[in-house]
Amino acid sequence: MALSSSPTVSCKVVLASAIAKALLVEVTADLQKLHRIPRLHGYLANKDPAARMYADWTAKTTREHGFEFTLHEVDREDLEDQVRVANTDGDVDGIIVYYPVFDTRRDQTIQWTVSMFKDVEGLSPQLISNMYQNIRYLDSPNNTQKSILPCTPLAIIKILEYLHMYNPILDYGRRLHGRRITVINRSEVVGRPLAALLANDGAEVYSVDVTGVQEFSRGSGLTKQKHEVREMEGWGLEQCLSISDVVISGVPGDKYKVPTHLIREGAVCINFSSEKNFTPDVKERASIYVPAIGKVTIVILLRNLLRLASNRPENDILP
Amino acid sequence: MALSSSPTVSCKVVLASAIAKALLVEVTADLQKLHRIPRLHGYLANKDPAARMYADWTAKTTREHGFEFTLHEVDREDLEDQVRVANTDGDVDGIIVYYPVFDTRRDQTIQWTVSMFKDVEGLSPQLISNMYQNIRYLDSPNNTQKSILPCTPLAIIKILEYLHMYNPILDYGRRLHGRRITVINRSEVVGRPLAALLANDGAEVYSVDVTGVQEFSRGSGLTKQKHEVREMEGWGLEQCLSISDVVISGVPGDKYKVPTHLIREGAVCINFSSEKNFTPDVKERASIYVPAIGKVTIVILLRNLLRLASNRPENDILP
């Protein structure tokens, strides 16, 4: 038995810190080209210690990498007004609100109040709609201002690029053609937008949650301009995992584990849950394993902030 | 019906000339580092016009790219002696014999006569054995002299590298981990060595010929140092193609066609037959299609010649 649990297992464990470092090189280079310091304004309107920690962490990371950060601690009843002020304030490049605020559907109204031109998190209705429709620019037909994508899904895409899952031989926008990807989690914040983004880039995506499996795909030969969704009746993890090159899982809590024996030999496995969705034996099956992604997500926040700052027309007249 | 044959099909057709050009840049750079001109000697001992054409073609290509080529037209009864002379002649870096000579098993004896240190085609028994055993150097344990691989299988590997099928994130020698590849043709000259090379690099390979399907694989987690072969009872093209990311076909003659409807959406398809093994509709199914490989194979011949010249210990004392 000892012999069968081999000591020479081939799996490459890739840490988020390594990927974040590579992305930061790009962000830093682009920041220098801007010739000014992008300013992020954060809004904290609750007593949640997790939100406070996230705010402190944003402050540290932005400043460390040459961005400016201002934290506003406000009464939650004043928040919408404050956001409206920031929307038109020329000194503000990006806005981030620390949720939950009311922890009801009212929070969505606040999300919708943030101007799409200052939304570093990519949660504005117009940005979300662009993403699902595979519209990649804000200023069609000029196509100079790239749309902003939500941080966590974009972080996962950047991780897949780093892992060479995107094939640069293929045309931009089709570089996942031929890839089969299972995404376990279909939340509105990460799982569903991620499945849509991957399918828009050419992959066949199996989106899995407790209600079942949906396929997101642009169809044979990628003849459709954007993905379509269909229910996969009778499908479960077994069907999805046996044909997937890539498995991405983000189920909250520490109960859920992806069944390793169903994963294809040599698959690429990425965990975006704050807990570990894969058991340690995943390394005996996967070719590449990414155990966490948080450090990449924060770099994407900086990248989005930089893009918002670059998109501002005033840049044309600044020195 | 006209609408279903879509005008916006996504398939990228990659020509051998483009890949050959990229490889030539490397070969030319390496040639300059050698500080002398490698000399290839060709032996033509038959009246076959195809062999004569291949000899003329070798002459043209070697000279065009800064190598020296000498053609010896000899009586076939004298050939073995001539090859033995070349084996020990310090002025000869590489030897190529234009087959068939006797067109019997006697040709194999000639093949075995060529010194493994001068065999540009990589057909010497020791080189072939190294390849199947996944031994990559001639001078273990120093590992400074890389073994020579047969031209056509190596050309296909270089094509797969060019197409980004090898993942540079993974360790050298395991970069095909997670890839499933069908090779249609199991000849001793190309199909079987190719299947072995791909499996040694980490792929799960389905080797198909009229007698059935064999799997070449290093096993789960690539725990075996070299591939093992097993018969896949009851398997046919249908089973292989439905799970293969890459389909490589080299069936001689113009009768054989790979059934397009069995190929996986988004697969990479490579033809190494002198005839077309894929029908035109493969472009509606594949993400990448390489219709021919001949121009890459000739560059590999130059690359092997250069490697043989570099491996010679005399290089240490040459200017």
Side-chain angles (χ1 to χ4, degrees), chain A residues 4 6 8-12 14 162-171 174 177-180 204 219-224 242-243 245 264-268 283-288, chain B residues 6-12 14 162-171 174 177-180 204 219-224 242-243 245 264-268 283-288:
Chain A
S4 73
S6 164
T8 55
V9 151
S10 192
C11 184
K12 195 102 186 169
V14 179
Y162 181 91
L163 300 178
H164 296 266
M165 295 298 109
Y166 277 71
N167 190 340
I169 280 283
L170 300 176
D171 290 340
R174 303 178 155 203
H177 191 192
R179 294 283 185 191
R180 277 155 192 78
E204 255 176 51
S220 179
L222 309 188
T223 43
K224 292 165 190 146
S242 69
I243 56 172
D245 316 304
R264 249 178 78 156
E265 166 63 29
V268 170
K283 288 179 225 166
E284 288 163 36
R285 183 71 62 149
S287 59
I288 300 175
Chain B
S6 164
T8 55
V9 151
S10 192
C11 183
K12 195 101 186 170
V14 179
Y162 181 90
L163 300 177
H164 296 266
M165 294 299 108
Y166 277 72
N167 189 339
I169 281 282
L170 300 176
D171 291 339
R174 302 178 155 204
H177 193 191
R179 293 285 185 190
R180 276 155 193 78
E204 256 175 52
S220 180
L222 309 188
T223 44
K224 293 167 190 144
S242 70
I243 56 171
D245 316 304
R264 252 178 77 156
E265 168 62 29
V268 170
K283 288 180 224 166
E284 287 163 35
R285 182 71 64 145
S287 60
I288 300 174

Side-chain angles (χ1 to χ4, degrees), chain B residues 28 67 75 107 131 181 190 280:
Chain B
T28 307
F67 295 81
D75 188 285
D107 281 6
M131 178 195 67
I181 304 179
V190 186

Side-chain angles (χ1 to χ4, degrees), chain A residues 256-289:
Chain A
Y256 182 77
K257 302 292 170 193
V258 181
T260 304
H261 70 282
L262 295 182
I263 298 172
R264 249 178 78 156
E265 166 63 29
V268 170
C269 295
I270 300 172
N271 175 56
F272 70 87
S273 171
S274 55
E275 304 290 334
K276 290 200 186 318
N277 280 183
F278 294 93
T279 49
D281 63 351
V282 72
K283 288 179 225 166
E284 288 163 36
R285 183 71 62 149
S287 59
I288 300 175
Y289 172 49

Side-chain angles (χ1 to χ4, degrees), chain B residues 77-132:
Chain B
E77 294 296 341
D78 298 335
L79 183 57
E80 270 188 64
D81 283 343
Q82 294 255 352
V83 166
R84 266 195 210 96
V85 169
N87 280 345
T88 55
D89 182 347
D91 282 348
V92 177
D93 292 297
I95 296 170
I96 181 171
V97 176
Y98 296 99
Y99 296 99
V101 175
F102 294 96
D103 211 4
T104 66
R105 298 201 62 176
R106 194 167 160 187
D107 281 6
Q108 203 165 52
T109 316
I110 300 168
Q111 230 167 61
W112 292 346
T113 306
V114 176
S115 160
M116 65 178 277
F117 299 105
K118 301 198 172 179
D119 178 10
V120 286
E121 295 194 282
L123 300 172
S124 297
Q126 178 78 56
L127 298 175
I128 296 281
S129 165
N130 283 351
M131 178 195 67
Y132 282 113

Side-chain angles (χ1 to χ4, degrees), chain B residues 216-278:
Chain B
F216 288 55
S217 160
R218 281 171 59 189
S220 180
L222 309 188
T223 44
K224 293 167 190 144
Q225 198 276 329
K226 68 168 199 78
H227 74 281
E228 288 175 8
V229 179
R230 65 182 177 124
E231 295 293 331
M232 304 297 279
E233 300 296 341
W235 275 48
L237 263 189
E238 193 169 341
Q239 285 73 30
C240 303
L241 294 182
S242 70
I243 56 171
S244 288
D245 316 304
V246 180
V247 182
I248 305 170
S249 185
V251 180
D254 58 1
K255 295 277 181 299
Y256 182 77
K257 302 293 172 193
V258 182
T260 304
H261 70 281
L262 296 181
I263 298 172
R264 252 178 77 156
E265 168 62 29
V268 170
C269 296
I270 300 171
N271 175 55
F272 70 87
S273 170
S274 55
E275 303 291 333
K276 289 198 190 318
N277 279 184
F278 295 93

Side-chain angles (χ1 to χ4, degrees), chain B residues 121-191:
Chain B
E121 295 194 282
L123 300 172
S124 297
Q126 178 78 56
L127 298 175
I128 296 281
S129 165
N130 283 351
M131 178 195 67
Y132 282 113
Q133 298 296 318
N134 204 16
I135 295 170
R136 295 175 181 227
Y137 292 90
L138 293 175
D139 60 339
S140 169
N142 292 337
N143 297 350
T144 59
Q145 302 195 348
K146 280 194 161 182
S147 194
I148 298 295
L149 294 169
C151 293
T152 305
L154 182 54
I156 294 168
I157 281 176
K158 289 291 159 186
I159 289 167
L160 290 172
E161 283 183 358
Y162 181 90
L163 300 177
H164 296 266
M165 294 299 108
Y166 277 72
N167 189 339
I169 281 282
L170 300 176
D171 291 339
Y172 175 76
R174 302 178 155 204
R175 291 183 172 165
L176 289 179
H177 193 191
R179 293 285 185 190
R180 276 155 193 78
I181 304 179
T182 293
V183 178
I184 308 172
N185 165 318
R186 200 188 300 132
S187 69
E188 284 303 308
V189 188
V190 186

Side-chain angles (χ1 to χ4, degrees), chain A residues 282-318:
Chain A
V282 72
K283 288 179 225 166
E284 288 163 36
R285 183 71 62 149
S287 59
I288 300 175
Y289 172 49
V290 180
I293 71 155
K295 287 183 180 164
V296 179
T297 308
I298 186 75
V299 180
I300 295 300
L301 189 85
L302 301 181
R303 192 174 180 276
N304 277 352
L305 175 60
L306 183 59
R307 180 161 287 177
L308 288 170
S310 307
N311 277 350
R312 288 179 62 176
E314 308 89 281
N315 286 319
D316 297 340
I317 50 165
L318 281 176

